[in-house]
Amino acid sequence: MVPPTAATKKRKYDSKRAWGEARALILKHKRSVSIGLVLMLISRSSSFVLPYSTKYVLDDVLPKQDLRLLGMVALVGLATTVVQVLTGFALSQVVSVAAQQAIAQLREEVQGHLIRLPVRYFDSTKSGVLVSRVMSDPEGIRNLIGTGLIQLTGGILSAIGAMAVLIYLNWKLTLATVLPLAIFGVGMSIAFKRLRPIFRERSVIQAEVTGRLTETLGGIRLIKVYTAEDREKAVFGKGVQRLFENIAKTITGTSLTGTLGLAVVGVIGVIVMYVGGGDVMRGTMTLGSLLTFVIFIGMVTAPLISIASIGTQITEAFAGLDRIRELRDMATEDQEDATKAAVPSVVGRVEFDQVHFEYEPGVPVLKAVSFTAPAGTTTALVGSSGSGKSTMISLIMAFAQPQQGHIKVDGTPVSELKLRDYRRHLGVVMQDNFLFDGTVKENIAFTKPGATDDEIVQVAKIANAHEFISQFPQGYDTIVGERGVKLSGGQRQRVAIARAILADPRVLILDEATSSLDSESEHLIQEGLRRLRAGRTTFVIAHRLSTITSADQILVLEHGEIVERGAHQALIALGGRYRDLYNRQFQREQDQFINPGEEIAATG
């Protein structure tokens, strides 16, 4: 489902901070904004000439039958029209390009900040929400750097200028039209105040719906296997309905402001017709002045009506900036590491000292775990599902920190090291290997940008990947598809192993690194991994215990505690939990080898 989040319910829109963010953004692009404002002033000023010349033509030129003067007025009107056209075009070019540049820069900054946040943030936030923060929220700033803010400023200035002309033409009639305009202004103020939180909520809902859609597409095979299409459609439909209801509210609000504007225009028109017409009949106002007054009334009301639309867009932009600021206020790993020690080199001695860890308060995952992995040794982690093996690996990679105890590398707690420096000495092959949608070569070279073709081929051979890669028509330039979907599970793992080998890490983590390989490929890769492990501190989680018999130490975990530790032969001789696991797995593999049909029937 796509329920309202706690943030949606509790967090209030911070208008002061949003204004501060908008001000900083405008100052950053002040050159383009200043040029835009100048062009706007020229365009708006020139727009006054032709309407006001109407009064001059009707009251002075036509009564005198002066064709020469009429031609001059027409030329002036034409010239100001040309100025309007040119400045309008230049305005759109300058500010639109500047707005798109600002959007691109903001997206880069937000993405750069986002990917440096701690892993715990990604564990608790939907990917669709994060995509919306990077791609959708910056879009609104085009209404600040682009034409929106300039049009708003121009509309206000035009209205003020036109109001001055109206007062000059007939101040009594002008005063009669002020009351409807004041009512319109108050109405827009109330509308903006109520629309602002609705616009903010819309982006949150849209991000949640997008996140669910992303999950659905990513798990399409699972959905089809369990014929869950209708369920997923229903879940997505609920989210879309919430989005529709939100949009309907904003449509209603903006429609009301537009309707109010039309009503104001109608009321003002009636006032001008009745009062102005009476003044003309009494001779206190010329016909030219009345017609000019009508034109300038339009120049007052039209900008005010457009302000309703522009103001809504700017309100939406402020909401997006507020959400972006909320994200950028979160401390990145680099900021958290600012005062921590640099890690120029790693020998590889890893130590757990009374480590306690829990994801949820009161539900311990690791309990007083202590062990030492000397530099250059291999430590295997064994235990049933949920015993804490993957959590230990996560702690070694510094994706999380223990609530109690310390994890030390070369005698220094990981919590005191700069994580970017420390992770440069890590290599990892996970159970679920992630490949980018690029070539095989690009995926292997991901850990060492600029690696030569010879280096890539060499590590591919160690990982037993060179043979199948060479059989592709494009070889190492073969596109692997999103998440490596065009490769088999075993092929993806071999590419991931080659990628880890190329990193030349001091601490190597193998989390079910050979789980998707057949026995023959696994044997070949194990030989390569043995050479890779030489001189490196290695942690191995293996589903086949036969692959870890050469480990320097094996830690047997149950319910977050180490219940046995030692080398393979010593644990077998101990006759405890490890021997039980090993014998059971050995017997199962023997049964599969002798009569695979029975095994299939038993598990089917």
Side-chain angles (χ1 to χ4, degrees):
M1 294 182 66
V2 189
T5 61
T8 308
K9 293 180 180 179
K10 296 180 180 179
R11 190 179 180 278
K12 293 184 178 180
Y13 175 82
D14 191 339
S15 59
K16 184 177 180 181
R17 186 173 67 171
W19 272 105
E21 186 78 4
R23 187 165 52 250
L25 190 64
I26 292 168
L27 289 174
K28 185 176 180 181
H29 299 273
K30 59 184 178 182
R31 181 174 178 273
S32 299
V33 174
S34 299
I35 293 174
L37 287 173
V38 171
L39 291 172
M40 180 274 298
L41 286 172
I42 295 172
S43 177
R44 297 284 178 163
S45 299
S46 59
S47 69
F48 279 52
V49 175
L50 192 59
Y52 195 79
S53 63
T54 303
K55 176 182 183 305
Y56 185 64
V57 169
L58 291 175
D59 292 345
D60 297 314
V61 176
L62 293 182
K64 296 178 181 178
Q65 299 291 308
D66 191 337
L67 288 175
R68 179 174 170 276
L69 189 56
L70 180 62
M72 291 178 62
V73 172
L75 284 175
V76 171
L78 179 61
T80 54
T81 301
V82 171
V83 170
Q84 275 187 270
V85 171
L86 293 178
T87 52
F89 177 77
L91 176 64
S92 64
Q93 289 295 299
V94 170
V95 297
S96 296
V97 171
Q100 290 302 322
Q101 183 183 35
I103 291 171
Q105 289 176 350
L106 188 57
R107 280 177 176 157
E108 289 181 20
E109 292 172 5
V110 174
Q111 189 266 359
H113 184 90
L114 176 65
I115 60 177
R116 285 181 167 82
L117 292 177
V119 172
R120 61 180 178 272
Y121 176 72
F122 297 91
D123 291 340
S124 60
T125 309
K126 286 181 176 290
S127 58
V129 174
L130 302 180
V131 170
S132 178
R133 290 291 177 273
V134 176
M135 297 304 296
S136 300
D137 286 346
E139 281 284 343
I141 70 172
R142 68 156 56 93
N143 295 309
L144 297 175
I145 307 302
T147 55
L149 182 62
I150 292 173
Q151 286 178 348
L152 180 64
T153 305
I156 294 172
L157 293 177
S158 292
I160 293 173
M163 184 64 71
V165 174
L166 292 175
I167 292 172
Y168 171 75
L169 291 172
N170 190 326
W171 66 269
K172 292 181 180 179
L173 183 56
T174 302
L175 287 178
T177 62
V178 166
L179 181 59
L181 290 174
I183 294 173
F184 181 59
V186 171
M188 285 197 299
S189 177
I190 295 172
F192 291 160
K193 185 176 181 180
R194 299 205 174 167
L195 287 173
R196 189 179 295 123
I198 299 175
F199 275 116
R200 176 177 173 79
E201 184 186 22
R202 179 194 295 184
S203 181
V204 174
I205 298 172
Q206 192 162 4
E208 291 172 350
V209 172
T210 303
R212 184 66 191 201
L213 179 59
T214 303
E215 290 178 351
T216 300
L217 297 178
I220 190 65
R221 288 171 175 80
L222 186 66
I223 291 170
K224 287 187 174 296
V225 166
Y226 292 104
T227 61
E229 293 93 340
D230 290 340
R231 280 179 284 158
E232 284 301 309
K233 180 182 177 182
V235 171
F236 183 73
K238 289 180 181 178
V240 171
Q241 183 64 28
R242 284 184 59 221
L243 183 60
F244 161 73
E245 291 171 359
N246 178 279
I247 293 174
K249 290 179 183 177
T250 60
I251 290 174
T252 301
T254 52
S255 297
L256 285 173
T257 58
T259 302
L260 180 60
L262 292 175
V264 168
V265 171
V267 170
I268 290 175
V270 172
I271 293 173
V272 170
M273 183 188 303
Y274 182 78
V275 178
D279 287 345
V280 171
M281 283 187 261
R282 286 188 292 271
T284 58
M285 189 176 189
T286 65
L287 183 61
S289 294
L290 178 61
L291 182 59
T292 304
F293 192 96
V294 171
I295 295 173
F296 274 89
I297 276 291
M299 295 181 68
V300 171
T301 55
L304 291 178
I305 293 172
S306 67
I307 285 171
S309 174
I310 298 169
T312 301
Q313 295 170 6
I314 292 177
T315 296
E316 191 172 1
F318 282 168
L321 286 175
D322 188 39
R323 289 187 296 270
I324 290 173
R325 172 51 59 190
E326 180 184 354
L327 177 66
R328 295 171 78 171
D329 281 347
M330 297 179 183
T332 64
E333 289 180 332
D334 292 345
Q335 291 169 331
E336 292 177 351
D337 291 351
T339 59
K340 295 180 181 179
V343 190
S345 62
V346 167
V347 176
R349 183 176 185 271
V350 178
E351 179 184 358
F352 273 53
D353 180 14
Q354 294 293 309
V355 170
H356 292 256
F357 182 80
E358 52 190 39
Y359 293 104
E360 298 179 9
V363 185
V365 179
L366 295 179
K367 310 169 190 175
V369 172
S370 295
F371 72 90
T372 298
T377 63
T378 297
T379 298
L381 306 178
V382 175
S384 56
S385 177
S387 59
K389 304 185 298 295
S390 296
T391 297
M392 288 177 64
I393 293 299
S394 182
L395 292 172
I396 293 170
M397 292 187 290
F399 289 161
Q401 296 293 336
Q403 279 79 25
Q404 297 178 38
H406 295 285
I407 300 161
K408 300 178 182 179
V409 175
D410 298 340
T412 304
V414 172
S415 58
E416 297 178 9
L417 301 176
K418 289 186 183 296
L419 295 184
R420 285 171 66 83
D421 290 353
Y422 167 60
R423 288 177 181 151
R424 287 193 180 101
H425 302 284
L426 298 179
V428 60
V429 181
M430 305 296 287
Q431 184 176 1
D432 180 20
N433 293 298
F434 184 92
L435 299 183
F436 291 93
D437 187 8
T439 65
V440 173
K441 181 192 299 183
E442 290 169 344
N443 274 280
I444 294 177
F446 184 78
T447 55
K448 187 180 178 181
T452 65
D453 290 348
D454 289 341
E455 290 176 311
I456 293 171
V457 171
Q458 182 180 0
V459 297
K461 287 180 177 178
I462 296 174
N464 195 32
H466 177 71
E467 183 178 354
F468 81 78
I469 295 172
S470 300
Q471 292 176 355
F472 292 141
Q474 287 79 36
Y476 282 82
D477 292 323
T478 299
I479 300 295
V480 302
E482 186 177 3
R483 301 183 69 90
V485 69
K486 295 182 180 180
L487 303 182
S488 69
Q491 289 172 337
R492 286 197 299 272
Q493 276 192 310
R494 280 176 273 181
V495 170
I497 291 170
R499 179 171 61 191
I501 296 171
L502 187 61
D504 191 23
R506 300 308 306 160
V507 178
L508 178 65
I509 296 169
L510 305 174
D511 185 358
E512 304 277 12
T514 60
S515 61
S516 297
L517 304 179
D518 55 65
S519 299
E520 181 181 357
S521 296
E522 183 179 43
H523 173 73
L524 293 172
I525 289 179
Q526 288 295 343
E527 290 298 321
L529 290 177
R530 284 192 185 95
R531 294 194 295 272
L532 172 64
R533 280 158 35 191
R536 294 180 172 86
T537 306
T538 306
F539 293 89
V540 182
I541 297 178
H543 72 298
R544 295 177 186 168
L545 300 185
S546 58
T547 64
I548 60 171
T549 56
S550 62
D552 296 286
Q553 68 173 335
I554 299 172
L555 306 179
V556 183
L557 285 90
E558 290 298 334
H559 305 295
E561 298 178 286
I562 298 176
V563 295
E564 294 176 8
R565 69 181 76 202
H568 171 72
Q569 291 298 336
L571 291 176
I572 291 292
L574 185 64
R577 177 63 174 159
Y578 178 78
R579 180 174 177 176
D580 182 49
L581 290 171
Y582 186 83
N583 287 342
R584 263 196 267 172
Q585 189 174 97
F586 179 77
Q587 184 62 47
R588 188 163 56 247
E589 290 176 355
Q590 286 294 103
D591 290 343
Q592 281 186 283
F593 179 75
I594 294 171
N595 195 342
E598 289 184 7
E599 178 69 16
I600 293 172
T603 58

